[in-house]
């Protein structure tokens, strides 16, 4: 997430420093971010004078004089507390502290902070330089004015901020995505269709509409009486697993973890993951250009 967020800021003309617990990781992330900024510039999606992205070995040097610090380490509450606590010790008193957690409770993350009133969640989506959405949620001590100002800042750098009124695990996007994943796994396990056809049915039906119209808008257009009728016979038959499904557990226990191990739902020795990512990013880039144009930003 770090390189994508840094590229987002750099493309908006903001100088950004990257710090990591392993200095080499920060240097690699900075190089990655600069490459992403070049892609955005070539696509007309970066400022005429992009900001610089540099890796800094010293935490105090990395956060000196900044306006916001965005933590983007692994999804571990204790680790996030440790990093943010270390930042608090060396950062200026008026600096905003943000976590890009994808679903952890902001009150839990902020529990040991000396100044939780300047902390909030700003969840960027991967790849962060191409996906517009950022989910924003404060902890109990976060003033509404701070949430408002961060949402306005995100809009100014080309993002679309959505504000959660209360915490739920996974926030909005992860919950909606995993609801689809759960049903997809259930359909595969039941032998209803192949993995390829389940993915195709997702991409080429309701998924094709999602860049334009969301599920609640779709429901209103179709008629809520129609939706209620569908729910009356379908909801009871949908998968309602409350634990990882057996099919998923079997794959994980057998070491079939997806691309990282060469096999998961698909045999990746027979598929080109790099090409799939390239096509994904090209499509996201095209959609981002369209979105910026519709806003009069490009």
């Amino acid at each position: 997430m770090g390189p994508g967020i840094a590229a987002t800021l750099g493309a908006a003309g903001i100088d950004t420093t990257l710090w990591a617990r392993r200095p080499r990781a920060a240097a690699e992330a900075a190089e990655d971010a600069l490459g992403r900024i070049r892609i955005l510039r070539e696509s007309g999606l970066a400022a005429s004078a992009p900001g610089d992205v540099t890796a800094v070995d010293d935490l105090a040097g990395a956060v000196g004089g900044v306006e916001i610090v965005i933590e983007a380490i692994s999804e571990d509450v204790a680790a996030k507390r440790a990093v943010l606590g270390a930042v608090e010790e060396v950062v200026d008193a008026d600096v905003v502290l943000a976590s890009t957690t994808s679903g952890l409770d902001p009150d839990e993350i902020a529990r040991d902070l000396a100044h939780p009133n300047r902390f909030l969640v700003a969840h960027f989506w991967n790849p962060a330089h191409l996906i517009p959405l950022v989910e924003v949620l404060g902890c109990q001590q976060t003033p509404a004015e701070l949430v408002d100002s961060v949402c306005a800042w995100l809009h100014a750098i080309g993002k679309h901020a959505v504000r959660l009124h209360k915490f739920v695990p996974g926030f909005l996007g992860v919950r909606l995505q995993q609801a689809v994943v759960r049903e997809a796994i259930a359909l595969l396990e039941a032998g209803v269709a192949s993995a390829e056809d389940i993915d195709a049915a997702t991409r080429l039906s309701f998924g094709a509409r999602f860049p334009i119209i969301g599920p609640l808008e779709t429901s209103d257009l179709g008629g809520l009486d129609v939706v209620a009728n569908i729910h009356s016979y379908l909801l009871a038959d949908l998968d309602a697993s409350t634990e990882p499904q057996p099919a998923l557990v079997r794959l994980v226990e057998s070491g079939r973890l997806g691309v990282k191990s060469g096999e998961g739902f698909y045999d990746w020795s027979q598929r080109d993951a790099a090409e799939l990512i390239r096509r994904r990013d090209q499509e996201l880039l095209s959609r981002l250009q369209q979105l910026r144009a519709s806003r009069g930003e490009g």
Side-chain angles (χ1 to χ4, degrees):
M1 290 301 295
I5 295 172
T8 297
L9 301 179
I14 300 171
D15 291 337
T16 305
T17 54
L18 285 167
W19 175 85
R21 290 166 289 184
R22 294 183 297 106
R24 180 58 189 161
E28 292 172 351
E31 184 177 352
D32 186 350
L34 291 170
R36 300 186 194 207
I37 291 172
R38 284 193 293 272
I39 292 172
L40 292 172
R41 287 194 70 184
E42 292 167 359
S43 304
L45 295 170
S48 56
D52 197 12
V53 177
T54 55
V56 179
D57 293 346
D58 175 59
L59 177 59
V63 301
V66 304
E67 296 180 4
I68 184 170
V69 174
I70 302 174
E71 166 273 310
I73 66 171
S74 58
E75 289 290 275
D76 180 279
V77 171
K80 290 179 182 295
R81 286 177 186 156
V83 168
L84 289 166
V87 170
E88 266 199 319
E89 294 179 1
V90 295
V91 80
D92 293 339
D94 58 347
V95 172
V96 177
L97 304 180
S99 173
T100 191
T101 174
S102 59
L104 296 175
D105 188 342
D107 287 317
E108 286 296 309
I109 298 173
R111 189 183 68 189
D112 297 331
L113 292 180
H115 303 286
N117 58 301
R118 59 176 174 174
F119 170 79
L120 49 69
V121 164
H123 175 222
F124 290 74
W125 278 73
N126 188 39
H129 64 303
L130 297 178
I131 294 188
L133 186 74
V134 182
E135 296 169 299
V136 182
L137 173 65
C139 65
Q140 290 184 11
Q141 293 86 356
T142 310
E145 295 78 13
L146 178 60
V147 178
D148 290 340
S149 66
V150 169
C151 287
W153 174 73
L154 288 166
H155 179 78
I157 64 171
K159 292 301 183 184
H160 185 100
V162 294
R163 182 173 180 169
L164 277 72
H165 301 304
K166 64 179 183 179
F167 167 72
V168 289
F171 308 145
L172 300 179
V174 170
R175 291 177 74 96
L176 292 166
Q177 176 176 281
Q178 293 308 316
V180 174
V181 170
R182 180 174 66 177
E183 184 62 26
I185 294 172
L187 291 167
L188 183 64
E189 176 76 347
V192 174
S194 67
E196 291 87 348
D197 284 345
I198 291 169
D199 279 341
T202 304
R203 293 195 315 271
L204 303 176
S205 60
F206 65 90
R209 292 194 301 241
F210 275 172
I212 307 161
I213 185 169
L216 300 181
E217 290 172 318
T218 298
S219 298
D220 268 358
L221 285 181
L224 298 186
D225 53 332
V226 175
V227 174
N229 182 55
I230 293 171
H231 283 192
S232 70
Y233 70 81
L234 182 59
L235 291 187
D237 197 57
L238 293 177
D239 186 77
S241 300
T242 58
E243 298 290 339
Q245 293 145 301
L248 179 60
V249 172
R250 286 196 301 272
L251 288 172
V252 172
E253 290 180 345
S254 66
R256 296 163 62 189
L257 307 179
V259 172
K260 67 174 71 176
S261 67
E263 189 174 4
F265 292 116
Y266 292 92
D267 179 356
W268 288 95
S269 68
Q270 305 299 315
R271 296 168 64 91
D272 189 339
E275 173 59 18
L276 181 60
I277 291 171
R278 187 199 67 78
R279 288 194 288 111
R280 178 203 69 184
D281 287 357
Q282 186 57 49
E283 179 64 24
L284 290 173
L285 192 63
S286 176
R287 291 180 182 179
L288 186 57
Q289 289 172 317
Q290 294 172 21
L291 179 61
R292 295 281 183 88
S294 69
R295 291 178 174 179
E297 298 173 4

